[in-house]
Amino acid sequence: MPRLERRAKPSRVMMFASPLIAAVMMLITGYILFSVMGKEPIHAFGVFFIKPLTTTYGVGELFLKATPLILIGVGLAIGFRARVFNIGAEGQFVMGAIAAGGVALYFHHLEAVWILPLMMLAGIGGGMAWAAIPAFLRTRFNTNEILVTLMLVYVAQLFLGYLVQGPWRDPEGFNFPQTKMFTDSETMPLLIEGLRTNLGFVIALFLVAVAWFFSFKMFAGFRMEVSGLAPDAARYAGFSEQRNVWFALLISGGLAGFAGMVEVAGPIGQLQPVISPGYGFAAIIVAYVGRLHPIGVLLASLLLSLLYLGGETAQMDLNLPSAITGLFQGILLFYLLAADIFIHYRIKPNPHEARCTITPPPPPSGDMI
Amino acid sequence: MSIEQMILIFASIVAAATPLAFAAFGELVTERAGVLNLGVEGMMLMGAVAGFAVASQSGSLTLGFGAGLLAGLAMSLIFAVLTLHLQTNQVATGLALTLFGAGLSAFIGKSYVGLSLQGLQPISIPYLTDIPLIGRLIFHFDWVVYGSFVLLFGLIWFFKYSRWGLVVRAVGESPVSAHAIGYPVIRIRYLAILFGGAMSGIAGAYLSLAITPMWVEGMTSGRGWIALALVVFATWKPIRVMVGAYLFGGVTILQFYGQGMGVHIPSEILSMLPYLVTIVVLVLISRNPKTILLNQPMSLGQSFYPRT
């Protein structure tokens, strides 16, 4: 086991290099994985990572699937910076979709331009309300937000299941557990004819810019970053921890809820028992791989979106289970975490020489980023 | 309600409680050594799929449980290497383990979906099982259930009366001091993490080999997270983990029998109960910050790297 030596200060180069190292390592692992499974690796590789991008439609799908990841990932990154761990974005996503779907069904007989904006607001509100529960419990009763947000994922999914099986089921839907299809004025306008990419993607890009401005140009963003990096300093400076918790959860919850609205008012077009292939959890990976930075989140979302698309084409062309997407996601995060050690440490060049050097104290506990 | 029904209900509560107890006992030991492993759900899923795959290939449930244990162990080994050697953040690594476990188990389990096998049967103890009523009530379980009680008493003894139990607690309270005295902190944390993984693996295998003898994607449905909450609820004490596991087992079973007894609440709403109860219980226990502060291992979640 080579000895590690702490760097005098965190390496900026490694900070940006480690997601790339992780992505490359993931590709190499994928190559080995395909060989082990008896698929011609070069061909499988092409099918998984290249083929989805060879058509205009494919690129449109890439942006479509990246949209919820960007929206959720940007929100989570803001929270993670302040070390507020909202792990239940999947639940807030579902609640946002339910709220937006409720509005759509209520005004189903109307054709009006204000319905879609109202659905957006409902989506944001639904996600925020769901995230407000852990925020309240954490600030009022000191309850761990990781476990509460997670438990609420299951509750939200069951609630959606109840609605589409029961009161909201389409009476003319041949007993399928789903609602009526949303009308044209209740669906997100498409950007380009023939592609499924919708207005949500543009809004997501805009929010990336807003998040960047908030995190790096506004005092509130600075306050949250200090709270995450140096909780003691933040307390000394009088930054309210409670406000951070509320803010982080409401922002990430609202964005996750909005993502849910974009999904049901976009490619899905109705409420179904399952409306997400785990976007809320994949967005956690997006936030970390994107270095908790809005631009990084954008790039990481495109990568994870490609993994979803690759999983689908691999299922069709290679007869591989689409679960391989989740496998790649997990592997990517592992490699990233492992590569991150080189931000703070380097391999000791000569153990005999280095023995007499004074090593600075360890990094702050639970060091994120 | 007849006596037969009551015995049935009791048996299903025990069955629901046992995997929770195993996973929570494992996590308890890990956390007592100062390591927070949020990957219980992922380790359980791997235990479940490995257990089912091996049992249905070999026809032996014992081999299945062995495979489940090894799968959990292997998963926790990844976590141990990352957090102990590469100094990764424990929260992030644990989450990664859960996501990875969910993906890998779904991938491996694809070809086993829809299969089923003969589940684990209760063992009859000569004479004891034949006692009227009581025999059927408490002496008619499978060996894993009895194992959970052996584990309970083993852990109580280990942490209270054994020297190494004390060392594990010392490592969890202050790894720096334990290291200074000369205890191998990293090695102890390794063993604690691996123990946690093995127990989660067994817990997962119990789901796919005893409770519902089949493989379904994501079949743990949050039990790993409930086990994590149980450890907090139990304020890191084995006996309370057991009580908590039976409490949750009871809630889980209640929802099934609630419908049978003419409670007209949709099944989806009743299924929310265990999750809602988890939240309520967490609120109750953490309401007083001192409860957590006094019982939680001091170094929980913090990395340690010996520098000599």
Side-chain angles (χ1 to χ4, degrees), chain A residues 1-6 33 37 80 85 87 133 137 140-144 146-148 150-152 154-156 158-162 165 281-282 284-285 288 315 320-324 326-327 329-331 333-334 337-341 345 355 359-363 365-368, chain B residues 36 38 41 75 78-79 82 85-100 102-104 106-107 110 217 220-223 225-226 228-229 232 266-269 271-276 278-279 282-284 286-290 292 301-303 305-308:
Chain A
M1 185 71 202
R3 299 293 293 173
L4 293 169
E5 182 185 55
R6 200 171 148 73
L33 206 63
M37 288 184 297
F80 289 171
F85 295 110
I87 305 302
I133 300 171
L137 296 180
R140 178 74 179 75
F141 296 113
N142 193 30
T143 314
N144 181 309
I146 296 180
L147 292 170
V148 175
L150 239 145
M151 290 294 121
L152 288 176
Y154 295 101
V155 177
L158 286 166
F159 186 52
L160 175 63
Y162 160 71
Q165 303 273 4
F281 297 112
I284 299 171
I285 302 174
Y288 280 119
Q315 188 176 22
L320 286 173
S322 63
I324 197 167
L327 186 57
Q329 289 176 351
I331 292 174
L333 186 51
F334 273 140
L337 292 169
D340 271 359
I341 190 177
Y345 292 86
R355 185 159 288 169
T359 38
S365 60
D367 196 11
M368 276 290 152
Chain B
L36 178 67
L38 293 182
E41 181 89 357
M75 288 287 282
I78 302 177
F79 179 85
L82 282 170
H85 282 307
L86 302 183
Q87 307 285 298
T88 60
N89 176 276
Q90 292 176 7
V91 172
T93 314
L95 286 172
L97 200 64
T98 288
L99 296 170
F100 177 71
L104 185 59
F107 185 69
K110 211 69 192 177
E217 202 178 307
T220 48
S221 54
R223 284 188 182 84
W225 295 103
I226 293 179
L228 273 160
V232 181
S267 65
E268 289 92 352
I269 306 293
S271 305
M272 292 176 187
L273 263 179
Y275 309 112
L276 294 175
T278 307
I279 294 175
L282 274 175
V283 168
L284 289 179
S286 39
R287 196 183 38 174
N288 182 355
K290 285 203 183 102
I292 299 290
Q302 295 172 11
S303 301
Y305 192 73
R307 38 197 84 257
T308 35

